[in-house]
Amino acid sequence: MFRNFKTVPQIVFGRGSFNQLDAILEPKREDSFMVFLVDHCFANHPFKSRVPVKKNDLMIFVDVTNEPSTKYVDELTDIARKHIPGKIPSGVIGIGGGASMDLAKAVSLMLTNSGKAHEYQGWDLIKNSAIYHVGIPTLSGTGAEVSRTTVLIGPEKKLGLNSDYTVFDQVVLDPELIKDVPTDQWFYTGMDCYIHCVESLEGTFLNAFSKAYGEKSIDLCREVYLTDDPEKDDKLMMASWFGGMSIAYSQVGVAHAMSYGLSFVLKVHHGIGNCIVFDYLDEFYPDGVKEFREMMKKHNISLPRGITSKLTDEQMETMITVSIGMAPLWENACGKDWKSIITREKLRDLYKRM
Ligand code: NAD
Ligand code: ZN
């Protein structure tokens, strides 16, 4: 069976395009209100006055200190439900990095699906289409703006609400919104994209569709991170989009599988977690790791070391279990026979070096 996946139907790209948001939302307002979930970094920032909030709309500055949890999604959904009794919102707009966009996707789904968010962690468990939802990145690299998932930490697992309904109805890509991201964060989130490309292009699931997007995306990453390109913000936004499209039809690989383990046990964030792992993956991705180190050097990035040194044996075993459980990622990276290459001992040895 070939995958028949949904993509974002409407997209605006361009510097200053954020100013069009009001006009984009206008026909969708009907007789209810909009919910804006805005990254908390803008709570005291002049940007917040540009968000086209109207009377009765709800604007929440979402706390993304920790990666989004199912519990937080339930709380936000509850606030949106109670905002005007008897009315459900006309739309949910997520403005921020991968975390804020994921929260917006998840809340838009939970407003129309009963129960709790953790009940839908998995593949195609969502029953009803979401409320109209819009994604607006202010940080680029994750591909969350284009993907059919929203990654959430639940009581038992870190897993997305993967469904066709999860995909945004509209995305606004305005490169001006990412120009002030601090260098470290810009690097970690951008490297998420670079690593998506390496894992997709080096993977066994690769086809011409994924290759076309992956090759373009990795070229853009090189221009962004290895040259002093005046259009770097525009290019990174497109790299993120194309990187997301590439893995939609292939899969990620070793760095993501191992970074999920780190994140589950040590609460390490996705972007930096991928970077920490990737730096030890010469045997899997020699060229990619070499180039990644050049990028680190150019931007003076130093990664945390020794983060697994204080883990108990039990924590280490949990980390290995979470990682080894990502079967499709391992199969993409190492082929059908991956279990003969990726053993618990192998992962323990790699993790201990980090
Ligand atoms: P993030 O959303 O966690 O944000 C990182 C930090 O950057 C936060 O402190 C935030 O406040 C700040 N920030 C955001 N925009 C800024 C700006 N313009 N200026 C200054 N600071 C800004 O980071 P991320 O790397 O974009 O996203 C990671 C999250 O995305 C994780 O929760 C991960 O699980 C998820 N993710 C989702 C997908 C998907 O397909 N849905 C894919 C990859 C990652
Ligand atoms: Zn990623």
Side-chain angles (χ1 to χ4, degrees):
M1 269 285 271
F2 295 97
R3 296 183 55 198
N4 183 7
F5 67 87
K6 193 171 157 199
T7 56
V8 176
Q10 304 235 244
I11 166 168
V12 181
F13 175 89
R15 287 173 180 251
S17 61
F18 183 76
N19 295 335
Q20 247 168 274
L21 181 60
D22 195 17
I24 290 170
L25 297 181
E26 196 49 44
K28 306 288 180 187
R29 285 184 169 273
E30 295 163 353
D31 68 338
S32 193
F33 62 98
M34 291 286 172
V35 178
F36 295 87
L37 300 183
V38 183
D39 189 308
H40 64 170
C41 75
F42 298 113
N44 296 307
H45 191 283
F47 172 72
K48 79 173 177 189
S49 64
R50 294 181 56 203
V51 179
V53 182
K54 297 264 163 80
K55 190 169 168 273
N56 295 332
D57 284 353
L58 175 62
M59 173 148 78
I60 302 174
F61 291 101
V62 286
D63 186 348
V64 295
T65 316
N66 300 314
E67 294 199 324
S69 65
T70 53
K71 188 165 166 276
Y72 193 33
V73 168
D74 293 334
E75 284 166 20
L76 292 169
T77 307
D78 211 37
I79 296 172
R81 275 214 183 98
K82 289 181 178 154
H83 182 57
I84 300 181
K87 282 204 171 181
I88 61 162
S90 297
V92 181
I93 300 100
I95 305 176
S100 307
M101 289 191 282
D102 274 1
L103 284 168
K105 289 180 181 182
V107 169
S108 73
L109 289 165
M110 292 314 298
L111 280 164
T112 53
N113 287 276
S114 60
K116 302 282 185 200
H118 73 86
E119 295 165 37
Y120 298 98
Q121 282 183 287
W123 281 268
D124 303 303
L125 302 174
I126 298 281
K127 295 187 179 62
N128 305 315
S129 27
I131 300 272
Y132 172 75
H133 51 302
V134 182
I136 308 179
T138 64
L139 180 59
S140 283
T142 62
E145 65 278 19
V146 71
S147 76
R148 78 190 287 280
T149 189
T150 159
V151 184
L152 300 177
I153 299 178
E156 280 155 23
K157 55 198 168 197
K158 178 177 174 181
L159 187 60
L161 315 184
N162 293 267
S163 82
D164 279 354
Y165 302 126
T166 310
V167 179
F168 281 118
D169 296 298
Q170 168 83 55
V171 167
V172 177
L173 296 180
D174 182 345
E176 282 179 357
L177 302 186
I178 66 168
K179 70 178 182 357
D180 297 325
V181 178
T183 305
D184 281 16
Q185 189 64 58
W186 169 77
F187 187 83
Y188 301 144
T189 302
M191 284 304 109
D192 188 20
C193 175
Y194 178 78
I195 295 168
H196 288 161
C197 296
V198 172
E199 293 183 322
S200 175
L201 292 168
E202 302 283 321
T204 60
F205 293 176
L206 190 68
N207 62 15
F209 183 102
S210 287
K211 192 161 182 252
Y213 283 111
E215 284 178 345
K216 186 64 203 174
S217 177
I218 204 166
D219 283 350
L220 290 167
C221 288
R222 288 177 179 135
E223 290 167 38
V224 172
Y225 288 97
L226 290 173
T227 74
D228 299 303
D229 197 313
E231 290 201 335
K232 65 177 172 36
D233 297 334
D234 307 58
K235 289 185 176 178
L236 185 57
M237 273 203 151
M238 286 321 298
S240 177
W241 186 274
F242 275 44
M245 289 297 289
S246 180
I247 52 175
Y249 224 124
S250 57
Q251 196 31 287
V252 284
V254 183
H256 276 75
M258 294 196 70
S259 150
Y260 262 81
L262 280 186
S263 158
F264 192 80
V265 175
L266 286 167
K267 310 284 173 266
V268 178
H269 284 209
H270 186 79
I272 190 169
N274 285 343
C275 289
I276 293 170
V277 174
F278 198 62
D279 202 22
Y280 292 90
L281 299 186
D282 309 71
E283 68 176 284
F284 296 99
Y285 308 114
D287 298 339
V289 175
K290 187 162 165 268
E291 191 166 59
F292 165 77
R293 291 193 188 125
E294 281 170 42
M295 294 174 177
M296 277 215 296
K297 191 157 171 239
K298 179 164 168 61
H299 299 286
N300 269 322
I301 302 291
S302 51
L303 293 169
R305 302 280 178 202
I307 60 163
T308 58
S309 61
K310 294 203 174 71
L311 287 183
T312 61
D313 290 348
E314 196 186 337
Q315 284 176 311
M316 177 59 87
E317 293 314 307
T318 305
M319 202 148 88
I320 295 167
T321 303
V322 169
S323 177
I324 218 159
M326 313 296 288
L329 283 65
W330 291 115
E331 186 182 334
N332 178 44
C334 305
K336 284 206 183 311
D337 214 14
W338 66 270
K339 285 184 183 156
S340 63
I341 305 164
I342 303 301
T343 59
R344 294 186 73 90
E345 293 66 45
K346 172 96 192 157
L347 291 186
R348 195 171 301 114
D349 174 54
L350 278 167
Y351 274 135
K352 279 195 168 157
R353 287 193 237 162
M354 295 169 192

